[in-house]
Amino acid sequence: MAGISLSRARTIIRKTLDAGKEMELQPLSVIVLDAGGNVQAFERQDGASPGRFQIAHGKAYGAVMLGMPGSAQMARAEAQAYFIAAANGALGGQLVPVPGGVLVKDAKGRVLGAVGVTGDSSDNDAAAAKAGIEAVGLVPVI
Amino acid sequence: MAGISLSRARTIIRKTLDAGKEMELQPLSVIVLDAGGNVQAFERQDGASPGRFQIAHGKAYGAVMLGMPGSAQMARAEAQAYFIAAANGALGGQLVPVPGGVLVKDAKGRVLGAVGVTGDSSDNDAAAAKAGIEAVGLVPVI
Amino acid sequence: MAGISLSRARTIIRKTLDAGKEMELQPLSVIVLDAGGNVQAFERQDGASPGRFQIAHGKAYGAVMLGMPGSAQMARAEAQAYFIAAANGALGGQLVPVPGGVLVKDAKGRVLGAVGVTGDSSDNDAAAAKAGIEAVGLVPVI
Amino acid sequence: MAGISLSRARTIIRKTLDAGKEMELQPLSVIVLDAGGNVQAFERQDGASPGRFQIAHGKAYGAVMLGMPGSAQMARAEAQAYFIAAANGALGGQLVPVPGGVLVKDAKGRVLGAVGVTGDSSDNDAAAAKAGIEAVGLVPVI
C-alpha cells in the first residue's frame, strides 16, 4: 500500500501546526492516513476539545476512501445530501464531509494518503493542511 | 483527572432541579460529565420518560467532545445539517445538538466538563442548567 | 413501569457509598435502574476510573433484563459460557455478568429495578449494594 | 482537562520508539490517551501492519477506562474470561486486554492517561512503553 513515511507524516503535522500558529487559528488536531485509510500519525494540540481525533479522522478518511477531498464532498452533500449520507453509512458512519480533509498526491499524481485537520473554520483547517503537505514536497488536493 | 467532583456534581444537579421547580418546568433529567466525556452523576425526576438518560447524555457529550454548547451545535446544524450529522456519526451517534448541553468552565476558562438537561423546552432546559452551574461558582457556556 | 422513586434511588446510592466507606473499599460507582432497565440515577466517586458508568450499568442491566442477579449470571456463565455470551449479544453487548448487579424487590416480591455497583471486588460491590437497598426497606437479591 | 501535554506525549512516543530500536524490536505503534480515554497523539512506524492504531488504542483505552494496566486485565481474563469479554462489550468492543497498555501516573499517584504500544511481544511492548513514560519523569503502571 502506498503511504507516507512516519518521518514525512511528522513533518506534515508540525508544519500544519506551524501554519495554524502563524494564521492565529484555534488549537488544531491533525491526522495523517495512508492510502489504505489507516492511521499513520496524529497530534492534538493542548486546548483542543477531546473529540477532535474523531473529527480529524472523519475528514481524512472520507477523502482517501472516496478519492475526493472535503471540499468536493461538501459540494456533493449540498447538491445531493442523500448520496453523501448513504456513502457515510456504507463506510461505517466515519465520514466528515467538509474542507479540512485533504488528499495527498505525489508528483506523478498517485494518492499517497490524506491529511485531516480540525479546530478552526473548515477553510482555515484546509489551508493549514495545504501548507503542511507542501512543506514536504507533496501535492495537496484540498 | 480534572473534572467536577462528585460533591459539586450533586449540587449542580440539585440546583438545576430546584430551578426547574421554580420555573414550573416538566420533570427534568440532569447529567454531569467530566472533561473527557465520561459520566460523573445523573438523576431522572419521577414522571420523566424512560429514555431521558440518553437524551441528557447526548446533549452534554456533544458539548464536551466538540467544545461547543448545544446552542452553537444547533446553529451549525441549521446552517450545515450534514456536518453535524457527520460529526454525530464520527462520535458514535451519541450527539443531541440542541440547547440544554452546557459547557462548564472554571474562572480561568478551562473546560471542566458539561451538564446535559432534558425534559422541558430546550431553552428552558438550558436555563435550568445555567442556574445549577452558577450555584457552585462555575461558569456555564450555554 | 414499576420503579424506584428518585428520592429512594438517592438514598440507596448514599447508603451504598457509606457501606463502601465503612468496609474501606476502593472508590465505588453506583447505578439505579428502573424495572424497564432504564437509568434512574448514578454517581461515580472521586478517584474511580472513567469507564465505571459502563460497568455499573452492565451489572444492573443484566440483572433486570434477565431477572437474574449477577451471582446467578456468573454461575450460568461458568456452567454454559455460550449462553451468557449469546444473551449478551441479544441485549446489545451491555451485560456484565458478575456479582454487583443486584435485583431490587418490594415486600411482595415484585421487581422494582436493579442496582449496579463497581470499584472493588465483585463480592464487596454486591455487599455494599445490599446494604444500600436494605437501608430503604427494600429487598436485595444478590 | 488533566492529561499529558502534547509536548510530553511526543517525547513519550519518541523515547518508546528509541527503546524499541535499542531492544531490536519489530516496528512499533504508540498511542497516548488522556485521563478521559481520548486520543492525544499516535505514531505508527514504517513497516508496521495497518491495523496497529486500533490495537494500540485498545490497549491504552482499557487501561484508562478500567484503571487497570494490560497485565492486570490479562490476569483477570485468564481467571474469568467472560468478565473481561463482558467489560469489553460494555466499553464498545474497544479493549485489548494484554500487556502494552500502561497507565501513566504523576508523582502523587494521579492517573494522567495511558500509553498503548503494539508490534512486538506484549511484554516487550510494555517494556518499551515503560521506558518512554519514565523518560518524561512520570510513573508507569505496567
Side-chain angles (χ1 to χ4, degrees), chain C residues 37-134:
Chain C
N38 297 297
V39 190
Q40 187 72 56
F42 171 78
E43 290 189 0
R44 171 162 58 105
Q45 283 194 303
D46 301 337
S49 62
R52 293 292 163 178
F53 172 82
Q54 289 89 330
I55 305 300
H57 180 268
K59 289 185 177 190
Y61 189 70
V64 74
M65 294 305 277
L66 297 174
M68 292 167 64
S71 56
Q73 292 176 62
M74 185 172 75
R76 186 74 183 262
E78 283 173 0
Q80 200 179 20
Y82 59 85
F83 170 74
I84 289 291
N88 202 350
L91 287 162
Q94 298 187 73
L95 307 191
V96 179
V98 294
V102 179
L103 279 174
V104 179
K105 294 191 173 181
D106 65 14
K108 293 178 185 165
R110 291 180 304 188
V111 175
L112 301 184
V115 171
V117 178
T118 183
D120 205 276
S121 73
S122 294
D123 287 338
N124 284 339
D125 294 342
K130 179 176 182 288
I133 295 164
E134 287 174 344

Side-chain angles (χ1 to χ4, degrees), chain B residues 10-100:
Chain B
R10 277 179 188 160
T11 305
I12 290 172
I13 291 175
R14 297 306 163 81
K15 295 297 186 180
T16 300
L17 297 179
D18 287 353
K21 192 175 176 185
E22 255 178 59
M23 296 165 69
E24 303 187 342
L25 305 187
Q26 296 295 312
L28 298 182
S29 300
V30 187
I31 199 167
V32 179
L33 301 185
D34 65 24
N38 298 295
V39 189
Q40 188 71 55
F42 172 77
E43 289 189 0
R44 170 164 58 104
Q45 284 193 305
D46 301 335
S49 59
R52 291 292 164 177
F53 172 82
Q54 288 88 332
I55 305 300
H57 180 269
K59 289 186 178 190
Y61 189 71
V64 75
M65 295 303 277
L66 297 174
M68 291 167 66
S71 57
Q73 292 176 62
M74 186 173 74
R76 185 74 183 263
E78 284 174 356
Q80 200 179 20
Y82 58 86
F83 171 76
I84 290 292
N88 201 354
L91 288 164
Q94 299 186 75
L95 307 191
V96 179
V98 293

